[in-house]
Amino acid sequence: MNKILLSWALVLGLCFTACSDKDSSRSDFVEAEKYFAVKDFGSALVFAQNSYKKDPSFINAKILEGKVYFFEGDYEQAYKFFKKLTRKVERSQDALLYLIRTCLELDKLDEAEKLIKDGLKFNSSDWQLYYLYSVLEGKRGNQDKRLAFCRKSRTLLTASEKLYVELAEIYLTLGLKSNAVSYLEQAKLVSAEPALIDSLIQQIKTGGAM
């Protein structure tokens, strides 16, 4: 009986430790984002690294570390970092996008194009990939292609906003306000009129309709 109780105590202890580490990891990540937002990249890096150490499954913390290298202008370090990360974490769109951006900064244009094409195979509706394609063609001096990819990016961006708003309306009709707000938050990120989307979010939060 004592052995059983001891086993349960150990299990509960491990679970408590794991939960505590994850909570602490998220707290560090929030701090990292705050410092990143005000361009205190040194502090952001420390908190991002601490967040990942406490929870190695929390990939957002790792991506934020790479973003620090990128925005500090250390493109060689950012390139090595995101190259390794995209091999370790398959289908991480954020990591892929930053790897492409880094390649463009380093004029690794052929590699950037290959990465864009690979990304489009799995997500042909991502406006960001087409935008980066337009940047790539601009660097090559191909203005016609640059314009074409830029237009494609804009079309998909507009479509994404409409889709998010429509999904929000569906969830609101079903009475799932939190889901509706979540999709409107995503719409706000790609909207040309974020203030309008934000007003819709506030209406829902205060009990109104869209």
Side-chain angles (χ1 to χ4, degrees), residues 28-44:
D28 283 344
F29 181 71
V30 169
E31 290 300 311
E33 285 194 311
K34 287 179 182 177
Y35 283 116
F36 184 82
V38 296
K39 298 183 179 180
D40 184 348
F41 296 129
S43 298

Side-chain angles (χ1 to χ4, degrees), residues 98-204:
Y98 271 98
L99 177 57
I100 295 168
R101 290 180 67 178
T102 304
C103 285
L104 292 172
E105 292 291 343
L106 294 172
D107 287 328
K108 296 178 181 287
L109 303 186
D110 290 341
E111 183 174 356
E113 183 171 32
K114 183 180 184 305
L115 290 167
I116 291 170
K117 287 180 176 179
D118 287 344
L120 289 172
K121 288 178 184 177
F122 296 98
N123 189 358
S124 61
S125 61
D126 189 336
W127 67 270
Q128 296 172 96
L129 288 172
Y130 286 102
Y131 168 72
L132 290 174
Y133 220 149
S134 75
V135 174
L136 169 67
E137 293 300 348
K139 281 180 169 284
R140 287 175 168 169
N142 299 328
Q143 299 307 321
D144 288 343
K145 288 185 177 180
R146 179 187 181 189
L147 180 59
F149 282 124
C150 207
R151 285 175 172 168
K152 178 70 172 179
S153 174
R154 179 59 188 169
T155 300
L156 290 170
L157 181 62
T158 304
S160 295
E161 179 185 352
K162 290 178 179 178
L163 175 61
Y164 289 140
V165 171
E166 186 173 348
L167 285 167
E169 187 174 357
I170 291 170
Y171 278 113
L172 190 60
T173 302
L174 294 172
L176 301 171
K177 289 186 177 182
S178 62
N179 295 60
V181 169
S182 177
Y183 277 109
L184 285 177
E185 292 284 2
Q186 293 180 66
K188 187 169 72 170
L189 292 175
V190 300
S191 177
E193 298 180 279
L196 178 60
I197 301 296
D198 195 52
S199 68
L200 293 175
I201 293 172
Q202 297 309 315
Q203 284 180 39
I204 293 173

Side-chain angles (χ1 to χ4, degrees), residues 58-77:
F58 190 38
I59 195 62
N60 287 351
K62 200 67 176 170
I63 289 172
L64 185 55
E65 179 183 345
K67 287 169 66 176
V68 168
Y69 301 135
F70 181 87
F71 284 99
E72 280 186 325
D74 191 350
Y75 300 124
E76 287 291 350
Q77 176 66 15

